[in-house]
Amino acid sequence: MSFTYEPVGATRENLTVCPPGFHPLHVRTRIGEGEEVFQRAAAAVLDWEMHRAMGVGIDATADRAAPDVDVTVTLAGLIKAPCRIIWTVEEPRRAGWAYGTLAGHPECGEEAFVVDRTGDGTVWLTVAAFSKAQSWYARAGGAATRGLQHAYARRCGVVLRRLCADAATD
């Protein structure tokens, strides 16, 4: 199965990229502070734990995000969104991945989930995407569909902060 959009991999170098004809999404959430919080957050993002803790179904061909891993995200048991991991990053102060949409996904585009630790030790989650409606129901939803995407991105930050709360007290 091939990707449903171009340019594949655009988020790798620039999380704020938005090709013409797509809608941008960029939500940055403070998770906490320190190396332990960063390590916990990075693991939760790379191992699908953050998504599963949100109640999202994840069916992946690997236990950890890696290039070319196929992932089907299921929302509310009804919407199935097939994707493929395009890139991953695991550096001392930055970790995460992005996937691109495959045929059958209600949207077409790319979404990245990146944890970074800034110079002052603050840990952030950035959820960034560019997308446009692909299915009839995503098109019919219009601005409401984009609102749900932003709510989902904000919820990722809330859930990840909760998952990392124990690391912040260690």
Side-chain angles (χ1 to χ4, degrees):
M1 225 186 305
S2 59
F3 294 102
T4 59
Y5 68 98
E6 289 288 338
V8 173
T11 58
R12 183 172 186 76
E13 298 302 321
N14 182 357
L15 290 177
T16 62
V17 68
C18 186
F22 290 86
H23 298 284
L25 178 136
H26 191 270
V27 175
R28 191 168 188 235
T29 306
R30 184 182 181 281
I31 303 304
E33 295 179 1
E35 180 65 20
E36 294 82 15
V37 171
F38 172 76
Q39 292 298 329
R40 177 73 178 101
V45 168
L46 290 166
D47 296 341
W48 320 116
E49 183 184 4
M50 177 186 73
H51 284 81
R52 288 188 171 117
M54 293 175 58
V56 173
I58 296 288
D59 181 17
T61 58
D63 293 336
R64 187 172 177 84
D68 298 321
V69 168
D70 286 340
V71 182
T72 299
V73 179
T74 306
L75 303 171
L78 301 172
I79 298 172
K80 293 187 186 265
C83 307
R84 182 170 296 133
I85 303 291
I86 300 164
W87 58 263
T88 59
V89 60
E90 289 188 68
E91 298 170 349
R93 299 179 83 82
R94 188 171 186 250
W97 51 270
Y99 54 34
T101 58
L102 300 174
H105 195 294
E107 297 280 321
C108 83
E110 193 166 299
E111 187 167 27
F113 303 87
V114 178
V115 175
D116 68 278
R117 185 169 173 228
T118 59
D120 69 356
T122 304
V123 178
W124 298 87
L125 170 68
T126 302
V127 179
F130 58 86
S131 64
K132 60 183 173 183
Q134 184 76 6
S135 68
W136 69 267
Y137 54 89
R139 284 191 301 275
T145 300
R146 290 188 298 282
L148 290 172
Q149 290 172 322
H150 279 82
Y152 179 86
R154 287 189 302 275
R155 178 120 173 87
C156 286
V158 169
V159 168
L160 188 58
R161 188 179 318 129
R162 187 188 78 231
L163 289 172
C164 294
D166 59 335
T169 60
D170 291 345

